[in-house]
Amino acid sequence: WTYLHAIKDYVDMAAHLEEVPEARAVVNFTPTLLEQIDDYARQIRAFEVDGEPLRDPLLSALVCESHPEDPQVRMELVRHSVRANEERMIRRFPSFRGLERVAKWLIRHPESIIYVNDQYLSDLLVWYHLAWMGESVRRGDSRIRRLMEKESGYSVHERRLLLRVVGELISAVVGRYRILAESGRVELSVTPYAHPIVPLLLDLSSAREAMPDAPLPERGQYPGGEVRARWHIDRGIECFRRHFGFDPQGCWPSEGGVSDATLKLLGEAGFRWVATGENVLRHSLERAGGTDREENCLHTPYRIGDGVVKCIFRDDGLSDLVGFTYSTWHADHAVADMIKHLENIGSACGREDNALVSIILDGENAWEHYPENGYFFLSALYRELSEHPRIRLTTFSEFLGRATRTRQLPGLVSGSWVYGTFSTWIGDPEKNRGWDMLIEAKRVYDRVVSGDRLNAEQREEAEYQLAVCEGSDWFWWFGDYNDSESVSNFERLYRHHLSALYRILGESPPEYLSRVFTQGHGSPALGGTMRPGRES
């Protein structure tokens, strides 16, 4: 979905920020997202200029002369082309809604796919991409309006026109945000390269600071974790600099994961500020034994120990209102409610110029749950905030440049923006087994790389493949609270990437990487060595 979110959320946010001169925001880019956006732009450009095939299956199907005859491939196209918010992105458009009804019937009766013609698949793919267009594009691009007005019967020429628009939008994302950053309207921040949980790379037992009784992986600490953490931080900065032409001042660590050791590394890398979750602050204040617990403790930067990095904490209440509640409200009522909350915070803080309210959405993809992708809410929000006599929109670096006060904490309780703990990534038997598999692969990596079997190109390939395996999302999905199909898909992909690492290293993957076990509760277990299960 990388290119879809790039053309929907990033394009729309840029449009809102461009429309209101006084608007300010901090926008985070993960390095792998920047590379994927660049890759899609290159794919589309190579297709249009040199006729090179598109590697993305949905984009390839969008522009093909005729669709594959294989029923399974056609069925996969149908399934993927209805992956969108049903209420806001499908039902809104009568033509897409009609196509989706047929798709749902086909998903229940897949044997009937042989009766579906190419035109149906073409129209379904067109409407899938039209639904994922940013609202600013639907309103402002006459080519998109004409495609929507046609409703059905799209030709290959029209489908390739749609691809051209997608290519233009994706190619412009980085440049638009660079201009917004240079004008001071936006501050751009970054995440360590492949989105690892840095505190856990450094010390798996840091999870017990907020979860004292949490079971840990059997194989012990992650070997060479500090070297790997520095690699992700340095590569993240390099990737950011390559795309935007300057160094970031701030970091949203993967999942807001922080620890004292993590802040030390980020400070050494040159970061000025780091943001994380409100509950990390709560836990840290409790451990420090402080009695200063009034609400405005949250709304100010903190210096941690003798570190140089300022720590900023997310206002969970306001952030969750935007992420989960306001999407069902009328935009004007939601904005009025938000402003009332901000006014109350300002009054409680006394000296309002020292109150920093951080509203942070971390991967919630909130806007697809809003009418018109949040168009009315965001337009009204930026307009009303920019005109308010007591509220000033700002960026973190701008605020820190004029702040007269910073609170002090002796140290942080390690944790993330989710509950202030690392429970989403460690402590569950399946999550721990995922770590054990990674630790074993890392030991093999260290052994091979320390020898002279790999040339420079192979070493670099292995280094980046290891980074993929160190990403946080694998562990997020493992466990019995996610639906079994999603867990199974992520487990299979995780095993695939671990196996690829072994092969790059010239080693045979362990036998357990080729097996999938399913537990009694229906959630796939990671390997067969920890619990009995039924092979599936």
Side-chain angles (χ1 to χ4, degrees), residues 24-43:
R24 300 291 184 270
V26 179
V27 179
N28 190 75
F29 280 90
T30 60
T32 48
L33 173 64
L34 289 170
E35 291 182 346
Q36 289 174 57
I37 290 174
D38 185 57
D39 177 63
Y40 273 98
R42 291 174 184 270
Q43 277 192 62

Side-chain angles (χ1 to χ4, degrees), residues 178-189:
R178 185 190 301 118
I179 292 171
L180 285 167
E182 290 170 348
S183 69
R185 298 189 188 187
V186 164
E187 178 174 7
L188 301 178
S189 62

Side-chain angles (χ1 to χ4, degrees), residues 26 28 189-190 250-258 263 266 272-278 280 309-314 358 360 362 396 415-417:
V26 179
N28 190 75
S189 62
V190 74
C251 178
W252 172 255
S254 316
E255 307 293 355
V258 292
L263 290 190
L266 293 173
R272 186 182 181 194
W273 60 261
V274 171
T276 183
E278 176 178 336
V280 172
V309 178
K310 302 294 197 311
C311 207
I312 295 164
F313 298 95
R314 176 184 191 262
S358 305
I360 300 174
D362 182 280
F396 291 152
S416 74
W417 77 285

Side-chain angles (χ1 to χ4, degrees), residues 477-535:
W477 282 96
F478 300 149
D480 59 6
Y481 54 81
N482 284 311
D483 69 276
S484 58
E485 182 180 0
S486 295
V487 175
S488 181
N489 289 337
F490 269 84
E491 180 199 355
R492 187 159 43 247
L493 194 55
Y494 184 55
R495 290 171 181 267
H496 166 80
H497 280 295
L498 284 173
S499 297
L501 175 61
Y502 279 98
R503 294 190 179 97
I504 293 168
L505 295 170
E507 298 283 319
S508 297
E511 188 269 340
Y512 62 73
L513 287 180
S514 64
R515 300 201 311 267
V516 177
F517 287 79
T518 301
Q519 294 176 287
H521 55 59
S523 174
L526 293 172
T529 60
M530 293 189 66
R531 296 187 184 184
R534 177 178 60 82
E535 189 166 3

Side-chain angles (χ1 to χ4, degrees), residues 93-106:
F93 307 108
S95 296
F96 196 10
R97 185 169 65 241
L99 294 165
E100 187 227 14
R101 287 176 184 152
V102 176
K104 282 185 171 180
W105 189 89
L106 287 169

Side-chain angles (χ1 to χ4, degrees), residues 202 224-232 442:
L202 295 173
E226 182 176 338
V227 172
R228 292 302 300 162
R230 290 184 184 275
W231 185 94
H232 282 278
K442 178 58 162 56

